[in-house]
Amino acid sequence: MTSLLKESSAVKPAKVSTITKVIDMLDNRLTHRSSLYINGRWCAPENGLVLTDVINAADGSVLGHVPSGGVSDIEAAVQAARAAFESWSNLPPSVRADYLMKIQDGVVGRAVALAEIIAQEVGMPLKMASAIQVGLPVTNLGGFVRAIDEVEWEYELGNSSICREAAGVVAAITPWNYPLHQLVGKVGGALAAGCTVVAKPADIAPLSAFILADAIEEAGLPAGVFNLVSGPGRVIGDALSGHADVDLISFTGSTAVGSRIAKTAANNITRVALELGGKSASILLDDADLEKAVKTSVNNCFLNSGQTCSAWTRLVVPRSRQEVVIELAITAAKKLTLGHPMDEGTRLGPLACASQMASVLKMIKAAEGSERLVYGGSAAVAEVPEGGFYVHPTIFADVDNKSPIAQDEVFGPVLVIIPYDSVDEAVAIANDSAYGLAGAVWGADQERAVAVAKRIRTGQVDVNGGRFNPAAPFGGYKKSGYGREFGALGIEEFTELKAIQQ
Ligand code: NAP
Ligand code: MG
């Protein structure tokens, strides 16, 4: 164990000169924001300008700031969205598709800045941030454009005409881990459906939402169709989720906040869609290609330093193969060089904020008391920039699925390896979780692997590394939430059905 810890500390130091240069290149106007976007114009918060610093996850420095909106700004934004609703919802879907294409163009035109900003706000290595944090939302905006034609806006059923109509004013509340991707999942679906939007990004990584607003402004959307109000969720969240003029709240974030939002929304019988946490399992069947399965599972678990709701954080393996799997997992984890997200050699960045780092380290330390640590751990050191929120990738093995480290969402670079004795037991382990968001099954016999995938109670399962599909619905079972995002189903989520009889 000790030797593994020592080896794990052999990581590359960050190249400070390159980092400073890239930060200098960031356009101050993109990172230092002092206006909210309400009713088609940029305006100061009504109750005076209070700025919240956006912290660079890489070194704790200040990257920029955003205004802290208040309850009266939420009021103004909801009223603007309400007023814009009728004409926006009555536009032909193809016209809304044209606007979405223009927004996509605007995001593409800002892709470099977006990637640089998100890489530092969130901490994901630049190359990955560019492909995933920016590339994915661009793809998904295109996906919504295509999906508009797939939605059955109107069809006949006996003597009824069934019409799909926009749900109304949507409150889109998003977290910090994939800030643009999560916002696009809501804004793209809602705008396509004919809804108007009030967006509330997370204070930890809000800058990409402002750049999306720039793109939306440039696309010429009618005033009030999209509004952006930043500010602390605990202050403005209830005003938004408890607002009688909000018709649907689409929230991505923690289960605790999701539950609170659903309760507040219940006062007005407001519809709610919740994308919450996860503790997903990757099951290796006895005939799996171990090398590929373990490598892919490790990379999946540690993507975005483990701050991915759908991450496969539990690797469920045949007991007889566990020791081989441990070696393969360590080999894969060692390739994930920890460092500054703007450094080309970095494969794993810091966590997004100090409180996230503290919470992850606390969970690792607690597990070290009772679990078998095979890689990393709270004492593992790496040469990383001072002041950043770095946590060494960590693997526990021989873990009992009932233990806290196998049950609780860590939201950090921690993988647990759980042995099983029969396929039934593997399925039971995967399903023995409060969450139900994603998962994976690996096995040479595709049919058998798919049959196992069907037994897993989660919204998505990838079999043998099946490719990401932007048209497929994404969402959870159990405490991972309800509702689906992306593709045609992700547009239908923002609609109501009307039956007209004649
Ligand atoms: P969070 O604390 O739940 O915050 C999410 C958003 O809700 C932020 O914009 C936050 O604002 C806002 N908020 C906080 N309190 C609120 C309230 N009372 N009413 C309304 N909004 C409120 O989650 P997080 O810490 O940002 O993100 C991590 C969690 O999100 C993890 O549990 C993760 O699994 C989950 N997640 C799930 C998915 C998914 O698709 N299922 C995706 C990503 C993350 P402020 O931050 O500004 O206070
Ligand atoms: Mg939070």
Side-chain angles (χ1 to χ4, degrees), residues 413-484:
V414 177
L415 175 70
V416 296
I417 299 175
I418 304 169
Y420 71 82
D421 293 307
S422 69
V423 173
D424 283 349
E425 192 193 355
V427 171
I429 288 170
N431 287 335
D432 179 17
S433 168
Y435 297 106
L437 192 53
V441 181
W442 301 85
D445 180 343
Q446 187 76 9
E447 240 176 79
R448 176 177 173 239
V450 170
V452 171
K454 287 185 177 169
R455 296 175 64 189
I456 298 179
R457 304 273 304 155
T458 63
Q460 288 220 344
V461 187
D462 297 349
V463 174
N464 288 320
R467 252 182 324 117
F468 171 78
N469 178 1
F474 179 84
Y477 289 20
K478 303 192 266 180
K479 282 194 178 159
S480 291
Y482 43 79
R484 292 294 179 270

Side-chain angles (χ1 to χ4, degrees), residues 172-178 181-182 186 200-205 230-241 249 251-258 260-261 264 274-278 307-310 356 409 411 435 437 474-476 480-481 485:
I173 306 175
T174 47
W176 43 261
N177 56 340
Y178 291 88
H181 167 67
Q182 283 142 346
K186 301 180 188 318
K200 208 297 283 171
D203 259 358
I204 289 171
S230 51
R234 74 197 134 70
V235 177
I236 58 173
D238 284 347
L240 200 47
S241 46
I249 302 154
F251 169 80
T252 298
S254 62
T255 300
V257 172
R260 181 183 169 126
I261 286 174
T264 310
L274 301 173
E275 302 275 4
L276 309 173
Q307 302 163 117
T308 304
C309 49
S310 55
Q356 192 60 26
E409 186 184 48
F411 229 54
Y435 297 106
L437 192 53
F474 179 84
S480 291
E485 290 189 318

Side-chain angles (χ1 to χ4, degrees), residues 32 79 137 142 171 221 331 337 397 414:
H32 293 65
Q79 290 320 324
L221 262 76
T331 305
T337 314
V414 177

Side-chain angles (χ1 to χ4, degrees), residues 373-393:
L373 175 71
V374 295
Y375 186 67
S378 60
V381 277
E383 245 180 277
V384 289
E386 236 172 86
F389 313 124
Y390 298 89
V391 173
H392 200 286

